[in-house]
Amino acid sequence: MNADFAPDSPDFFLGDPHSVMKRLRRTDPLPWYEGSGGAWCVLKHADLMAISRNPGTYTSTRGIQIGLGNMSTNRPAAVAPTILEMDPPQHNLHRKLVISEFTPGATQKLETMVRAIARECIDTIEPGSTGDLVESLAVPVPMYVIAEMLGVPRADRPDFKRWSDSMIEAGGGRRTPATDACLGEMLRYFAAVLAERRRAPKDDLVSTLARSEIEGEQLSDGSILMFCITLLAAGNETTRNLISGGSYLLARNPVERARLLADPSLLSNAIEEMLRWWTPVHSFTRTATRDTTLRGKSIREGDVMLLLYPSANRDEEIWGEDSDRFDVGRDHRKQRHLAFGFGEHLCLGAPLARLEARVVFEELLARFPRFELAGEPEMLHSRLMHGVERLPVAFGS
């Protein structure tokens, strides 16, 4: 028994999860956890990759979050599954609908727009002031970028943060009537946008989905709405947590920041290290479709597999005995972090997230190269996302 291991609890991730997972990687790298209905906890990089590349044996269709049960039986009939809850071939068919918008080449064309948004946000920060970097930079940049791609009018963008926060609250185990009301508001909004795009298409992602077909059939309104919501969450929260977490790491590691300032060519590599060290998503689940074995343990059909990405990204077999160290020069060309997942469900928006992070840190470090913490950060209370809700910073001159 591991009394200090509770991967279904936000409190576990707010404590010292890495020391616990490090011990388990060495003593029991595939432990069975009794809480939330039970799950095999996948702690090793190789195991997480093996499961992710084998959807035939480990399905996403029966739920992707611990404690929420079988999505295929618990979901109301009117609610379509998200792309995250699909296996091939359905997953591949849906992914192809928008993949052209998220290729490295396509996202590179967005750099001018992303940089204009980043500079607009940084321009609101007074030199010498103290403020919340999350509110001034980490929240608005990815939120405005995905809103632009979805074709949302600027006047409606403030609602995006409330909706996105509600999705993360629901997924992180803090669902309330107020959360549900907010999610309902979001669905009604996108339903109205979709109806308008069906009548008068524009050059945006909602219009792309509205005119898309799979095997000769037009997507239903429910499928498009869930697609929009997934894009909003994935395109907003992951990048938000990468920017806030990365900023926190730079402030806490002045030597590494000095290396970056001295050699800006390290920035792209530093962002990969931020993703590895500050993995934005704690976990997703898969469910075994048949009896099998892993690490000599008997996995039964229906068993839940909890994929713990932060543990895989500190696996000493991959990253060495200094895997707990934040190193902007760590070589990421040969080794692969799993912050964006792997296999069929490799994050669709990974190139966009990398672009946004690079642009934001280029602009931030050019304007405020020696920003400092002005207090302790307030961490996100979630079992799903690794984020910072408030990061007080002295921006200097």
Side-chain angles (χ1 to χ4, degrees), residues 203-223:
D203 185 19
D204 56 41
L205 283 172
V206 178
S207 298
T208 297
L209 292 168
R211 57 178 173 257
S212 295
E213 295 182 350
I214 291 181
E215 298 180 332
E217 291 190 9
Q218 194 175 53
L219 291 181
S220 68
D221 285 5
S223 294

Side-chain angles (χ1 to χ4, degrees), residues 137-210:
L137 197 58
V139 167
V141 172
M143 183 171 63
Y144 292 161
V145 169
I146 196 63
E148 185 81 16
M149 296 179 72
L150 288 168
V152 173
R154 191 180 186 92
D156 295 338
R157 292 177 185 175
D159 290 325
F160 265 47
K161 182 178 185 298
R162 294 191 299 107
W163 298 338
S164 185
D165 287 347
S166 294
M167 283 189 289
I168 296 305
E169 286 176 7
R174 293 192 292 167
R175 190 161 187 166
T176 66
T179 301
D180 289 343
C182 198
L183 294 176
E185 179 186 335
M186 176 179 61
L187 283 169
R188 289 189 296 273
Y189 176 87
F190 277 108
V193 171
L194 174 58
E196 176 61 28
R197 295 299 186 273
R198 287 206 188 277
R199 289 192 298 268
K202 296 184 177 181
D203 185 19
D204 56 41
L205 283 172
V206 178
S207 298
T208 297
L209 292 168

Side-chain angles (χ1 to χ4, degrees), residues 40-299:
W40 293 102
C41 298
V42 185
L43 297 167
K44 296 289 287 182
H45 189 278
D47 295 343
L48 199 147
M49 289 181 68
I51 290 171
S52 298
R53 63 159 60 101
N54 189 358
T57 301
Y58 303 102
T59 181
S60 299
T61 62
R62 302 188 198 176
I64 57 171
Q65 293 182 40
I66 189 171
L68 297 188
N70 189 329
M71 296 300 294
S72 62
T73 57
N74 294 341
R75 180 189 293 106
V79 178
T82 70
I83 191 173
L84 299 177
E85 299 161 350
M86 297 177 184
D87 289 338
Q90 290 78 13
H91 175 271
N92 304 44
L93 292 170
H94 282 75
R95 188 181 179 95
K96 286 179 181 178
L97 297 177
V98 295
I99 187 64
S100 62
E101 307 286 341
F102 291 97
T103 63
T107 54
Q108 196 60 42
K109 295 177 182 178
L110 300 175
E111 179 167 346
T112 299
M113 179 263 287
V114 173
R115 195 171 296 279
I117 289 172
R119 286 178 175 174
E120 178 183 342
C121 293
I122 289 178
D123 284 345
T124 66
I125 301 172
E126 291 290 336
S129 67
T130 297
D132 179 12
L133 188 142
V134 174
E135 190 67 26
S136 59
L137 197 58
V139 167
V141 172
M143 183 171 63
Y144 292 161
V145 169
I146 196 63
E148 185 81 16
M149 296 179 72
L150 288 168
V152 173
R154 191 180 186 92
D156 295 338
R157 292 177 185 175
D159 290 325
F160 265 47
K161 182 178 185 298
R162 294 191 299 107
W163 298 338
S164 185
D165 287 347
S166 294
M167 283 189 289
I168 296 305
E169 286 176 7
R174 293 192 292 167
R175 190 161 187 166
T176 66
T179 301
D180 289 343
C182 198
L183 294 176
E185 179 186 335
M186 176 179 61
L187 283 169
R188 289 189 296 273
Y189 176 87
F190 277 108
V193 171
L194 174 58
E196 176 61 28
R197 295 299 186 273
R198 287 206 188 277
R199 289 192 298 268
K202 296 184 177 181
D203 185 19
D204 56 41
L205 283 172
V206 178
S207 298
T208 297
L209 292 168
R211 57 178 173 257
S212 295
E213 295 182 350
I214 291 181
E215 298 180 332
E217 291 190 9
Q218 194 175 53
L219 291 181
S220 68
D221 285 5
S223 294
I224 294 176
L225 288 176
M226 293 309 293
F227 219 130
C228 290
I229 291 168
T230 302
L231 289 172
L232 172 59
N236 185 0
E237 289 298 332
T238 303
T239 311
R240 166 183 170 176
N241 293 331
L242 167 57
I243 293 170
S244 59
S247 299
Y248 178 58
L249 287 174
L250 292 179
R252 285 289 302 269
N253 294 273
V255 173
E256 295 304 302
R257 179 170 55 177
R259 290 177 66 192
L260 195 54
L261 290 170
D263 184 2
S265 69
L266 286 173
L267 180 56
S268 292
N269 192 80
I271 289 168
E272 299 307 310
E273 180 71 348
M274 292 172 186
L275 285 161
R276 182 193 75 86
W277 207 97
W278 190 277
T279 305
V281 177
H282 291 314
S283 68
F284 282 128
T285 63
R286 302 288 185 266
T287 304
T289 61
R290 60 181 178 85
D291 291 354
T292 185
T293 60
L294 184 63
R295 289 200 175 267
K297 298 190 177 184
S298 297
I299 311 298

Side-chain angles (χ1 to χ4, degrees), residues 316-335:
E316 294 80 6
E317 287 188 22
I318 305 299
W319 306 104
E321 291 303 317
D322 70 339
S323 62
D324 285 331
R325 184 169 67 89
F326 176 65
D327 176 4
V328 299
R330 190 184 299 274
D331 189 353
H332 284 270
R333 293 170 297 179
K334 296 180 181 179
Q335 311 300 348

Side-chain angles (χ1 to χ4, degrees), residues 330-345:
R330 190 184 299 274
D331 189 353
H332 284 270
R333 293 170 297 179
K334 296 180 181 179
Q335 311 300 348
R336 180 173 188 164
H337 67 72
L338 301 178
F340 287 126
F342 183 74
E344 302 291 342
H345 286 280

